[in-house]
């Protein structure tokens, strides 16, 4: 059996090639064991956190508490930069900035986040990260450094706990990331009958090549003698890519949010009516 590889120019083109039955769509989430953890900051988030806690053991005068605030925020900043570095998303690119703002407008939880930095808006939308806590820690550092306020001890401890919580949160998220397969009842049934673990529809996945993460949407069609593999490579600034990443990092306890994201993704791919029949996580319907 021969295999032919085809590059396509857009996600919509690939969706049309797949010809999925829109009234009987299945969404399959399989665990992705290849989180691209190839990027680390020169000083790690945990190292900065260690510095902050060592300072606390030295006393509680204003100078020490100010240093603790700074080290805690450096831990926070390096945690965020490591995630975005691993995902290969550059917030300095204009097209990426536009996509982030569009994503934030669609999924933000209120006006309180409008003055977030682009990086905070992004991890809020993709990871559902505790960005209000992070933003409060940053604003407190600004007041101490630029408005010359004396650091309040309880807010200093809150900043340390925020840095620690963010690190644990990101570690948990990146260890439970999912691969997404948009398929239909017919293709999914064929895979089940063949006891195949291979995805059958449009599969979203990534590869870390030369320390740069690249993202793909793939569809495989099997005929009698030929296997056709159609692949679209995302630009890392695309809004649809950010939406798919949001779905990959979903929370099991907030499945309604995930379903809405999937609905939005499919709406981006087709102008026709569609119906998602089942959402399946590994082998469990949700």
């Amino acid at each position: 059996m021969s295999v032919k590889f085809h590059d396509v120019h857009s996600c919509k083109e690939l969706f049309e090639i797949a010809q999925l039955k829109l009234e009987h769509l299945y969404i399959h989430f399989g665990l992705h064991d290849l989180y691209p953890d190839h990027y680390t900051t020169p000083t790690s988030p945990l190292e900065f956190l260690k510095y902050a806690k060592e300072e606390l053991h030295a006393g509680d005068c204003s100078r020490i508490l100010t240093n603790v605030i700074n080290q805690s925020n450096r831990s926070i900043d390096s945690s965020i930069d490591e995630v975005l570095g691993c995902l290969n998303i550059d917030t300095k690119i204009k097209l990426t900035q536009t996509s982030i703002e569009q994503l934030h407008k669609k999924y933000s939880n209120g006006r309180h986040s409008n003055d977030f930095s682009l990086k905070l808006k992004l991890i809020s939308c993709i990871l559902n990260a505790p960005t209000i806590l992070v933003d409060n820690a940053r604003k407190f550092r600004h007041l101490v450094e630029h408005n010359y306020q004396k650091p309040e001890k309880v807010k200093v401890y809150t900043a340390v706990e925020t840095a620690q919580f963010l690190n644990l949160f990101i570690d948990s998220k990146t260890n439970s990331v999912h691969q997404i397969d948009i398929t239909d009842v017919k293709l999914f049934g064929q895979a089940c009958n063949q006891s195949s673990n291979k995805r059958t529809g449009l599969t979203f996945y990534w590869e870390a090549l030369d320390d740069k993460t690249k993202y793909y949407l793939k569809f495989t069609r099997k005929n009698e003698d030929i296997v056709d593999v159609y692949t679209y490579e995302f630009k890392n600034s695309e809004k649809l890519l950010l939406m798919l990443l949001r779905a990959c990092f979903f929370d099991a306890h907030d499945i309604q949010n995930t379903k809405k994201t999937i609905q939005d993704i499919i709406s981006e791919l087709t102008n026709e009516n569609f119906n998602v029949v089942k959402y399946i996580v590994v082998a469990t319907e949700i």
Side-chain angles (χ1 to χ4, degrees):
M1 182 175 288
S2 62
V3 180
K4 292 185 178 181
F5 296 93
H6 313 268
D7 293 329
V8 298
H9 299 97
S10 71
C11 289
K12 288 188 176 182
E13 180 186 349
L14 189 59
F15 199 76
E16 291 170 0
I17 290 170
Q19 296 181 328
L20 300 178
K21 295 183 180 299
L22 296 179
E23 68 277 14
H24 293 99
L25 292 177
Y26 277 33
I27 310 299
H28 186 278
F29 296 91
L31 281 176
H32 201 311
D33 57 357
L34 295 174
Y35 174 73
D37 57 354
H38 52 77
Y39 176 79
T40 56
T41 53
T43 304
S44 73
L46 287 178
E47 194 73 13
F48 283 124
L49 187 59
K50 184 181 80 171
Y51 297 157
K53 291 190 174 185
E54 286 175 348
E55 290 277 4
L56 282 178
H57 288 298
D60 59 359
C61 66
S62 292
R63 177 181 59 81
I64 289 174
L65 294 179
T66 299
N67 289 340
V68 173
I69 283 292
N70 288 333
Q71 299 295 0
S72 298
N73 275 275
R74 287 176 183 137
S75 176
I76 289 169
D77 291 343
S78 59
S79 289
I80 295 171
D81 285 344
E82 282 195 349
V83 170
L84 299 187
C86 289
L87 296 178
N88 194 21
I89 298 175
D90 187 352
T91 57
K92 296 185 181 71
I93 297 173
K94 187 65 177 177
L95 289 175
T96 304
Q97 294 173 3
T98 301
S99 295
I100 292 171
E101 292 292 359
Q102 291 173 346
L103 200 72
H104 176 258
K105 185 177 180 180
K106 182 182 287 288
Y107 297 118
S108 65
N109 293 321
R111 293 181 182 177
H112 64 270
S113 61
N114 288 343
D115 63 346
F116 281 3
S117 68
L118 278 171
K119 291 180 180 180
L120 268 192
K121 288 179 179 178
L122 183 56
I123 68 165
S124 173
C125 291
I126 289 182
L127 301 181
N128 197 24
T131 44
I132 295 176
L133 293 174
V134 171
D135 187 56
N136 287 340
R138 284 180 161 181
K139 286 176 178 175
F140 181 47
R141 175 178 62 178
H142 183 85
L143 290 173
V144 171
E145 289 187 349
H146 301 286
N147 290 21
Y148 313 114
Q149 289 190 7
K150 289 186 176 181
E152 299 175 43
K153 195 170 181 180
V154 66
K155 290 186 178 180
V156 172
Y157 277 89
T158 301
V160 174
E161 290 183 358
T162 298
Q164 182 168 313
F165 178 56
L166 180 64
N167 187 270
L168 292 170
F169 174 87
I170 290 174
D171 188 57
S172 173
K173 279 282 188 175
T174 54
N175 280 310
S176 60
V177 64
H178 287 76
Q179 178 176 284
I180 298 174
D181 186 45
I182 303 174
T183 186
D184 61 21
V185 62
K186 180 180 178 181
L187 291 174
F188 186 80
Q190 289 175 355
C192 290
N193 291 335
Q194 296 168 5
S195 298
S196 172
N197 290 322
K198 294 182 179 179
R199 305 282 69 83
T200 60
L202 291 168
T203 300
F204 172 67
Y205 68 102
W206 56 77
E207 294 178 348
L209 303 172
D210 299 324
D211 291 337
K212 294 291 184 183
T213 306
K214 295 186 177 182
Y215 301 92
Y216 304 93
L217 197 64
K218 181 176 72 174
F219 176 71
T220 302
R221 175 179 287 129
K222 295 181 180 179
N223 296 313
E224 290 184 0
D225 300 317
I226 299 174
V227 175
D228 289 298
V229 180
Y230 300 89
T231 305
Y232 172 70
E233 181 179 344
F234 284 92
K235 300 176 183 64
N236 286 28
S237 58
E238 290 184 58
K239 182 180 73 171
L240 185 59
L241 168 62
L242 301 183
M243 293 169 70
L244 283 161
L245 285 173
R246 173 181 169 85
C248 285
F249 288 104
F250 79 90
D251 292 314
H253 61 269
D254 190 14
I255 196 60
Q256 292 306 319
N257 202 3
T258 304
K259 289 181 177 180
K260 181 183 185 308
T261 305
I262 292 294
Q263 298 274 341
D264 291 341
I265 289 168
I266 299 173
S267 294
E268 291 278 330
L269 293 171
T270 181
N271 295 322
E272 300 180 42
N273 294 325
F274 61 88
N275 178 45
V276 178
V277 179
K278 289 182 181 178
Y279 293 84
I280 300 171
V281 179
V282 185
T284 306
E285 292 180 26
I286 56 177

